[in-house]
Every structure is written in C-alpha cells, then in structure tokens.
Amino acid sequence: MPSSRATPETGPGDDRSTDLIRWAAFSCFLVPVVLLWYGTSLAGATGTALGLAAVTAVCRVLLRRSERCAARLLDEDLDEDEAPQAHHRGRHQRTGTGSHRGRRHSGGNSPVG
C-alpha cells in the first residue's frame, strides 16, 4: 500500500538553502535596525549591515558550490552503480590474519617497556 505522505519535490526556490539565505538576508536588515533602536550610531549600524551582507554573500556562494559538487558526486555514484565493478576495500578495511600489521608490540595490552 503506498504511503499517504507524498515525497516533497524541491524546485529552484523551494529548498532549505534558499530558506537559510532568506533568513540571513532578513537578519542583515533586522540587526542594524535593532542596533539603531538601542542607540548605536548610524555608521556603526551601516558597517554591521555591510559586514553581515558580505558574510551572507560568501556563505551563499559556498553553499551553492557545495550543492553543485554534491549533486555531481551523486550523479557519478549513480553512473558507477550501473556498471558492475569488483568490490574494493580501502586500505583500512582489511580482514583476516593480516589485519593488525604495523603494531608496535605483539603482547596483548601490556605496556611497551
């Protein structure tokens, strides 16, 4: 029986990162207003607004870049899943008798002395 809950489809303006950027832009407006309300100088509030806007812009660029890289990696993984390949274990995932090579001492938990 299919689930009654539909899977959300994300569009170009309907994802979490867009919401995050919107909240950050809102704070770029709200923080200077609050600073002015509490008596900070106009120059100080303006500097704060510009600083927050710069940080928000850099974060947006990095977030979009990260999303593009993640999407590209996901596409590559999906392409690799279609072609059968030999199972590969990383160098730290050995099993069997040779799995503890490189230890400094062979005697249980006794300290090296």
Side-chain angles (χ1 to χ4, degrees):
M1 183 169 172
S3 172
S4 62
R5 188 172 153 189
T7 57
E9 295 183 19
T10 58
D14 187 35
D15 59 348
R16 292 180 184 173
S17 62
T18 302
D19 290 340
L20 181 70
I21 297 300
R22 286 181 183 164
W23 277 107
F26 176 69
S27 71
C28 288
F29 168 74
L30 184 64
V31 169
V33 169
V34 170
L35 288 173
L36 286 173
W37 182 268
Y38 282 102
T40 304
S41 67
L42 182 61
T46 304
T48 301
L50 292 175
L52 286 172
V55 169
T56 301
V58 169
C59 288
R60 180 176 185 241
V61 167
L62 293 174
L63 188 61
R64 297 296 181 197
R65 181 178 176 190
S66 173
E67 287 175 342
R68 283 193 305 266
C69 289
R72 189 176 336 133
L73 289 175
L74 183 62
D75 287 342
E76 289 175 3
D77 285 346
L78 291 176
D79 291 342
E80 288 177 4
D81 288 343
E82 292 174 2
Q85 295 180 353
H87 181 70
H88 174 70
R89 291 184 184 266
R91 83 175 214 206
H92 295 292
Q93 296 179 357
R94 296 185 198 127
T95 60
T97 57
S99 64
H100 295 288
R101 282 184 257 159
R103 291 182 68 180
R104 293 178 185 232
H105 62 301
S106 59
N109 290 330
S110 62
V112 176

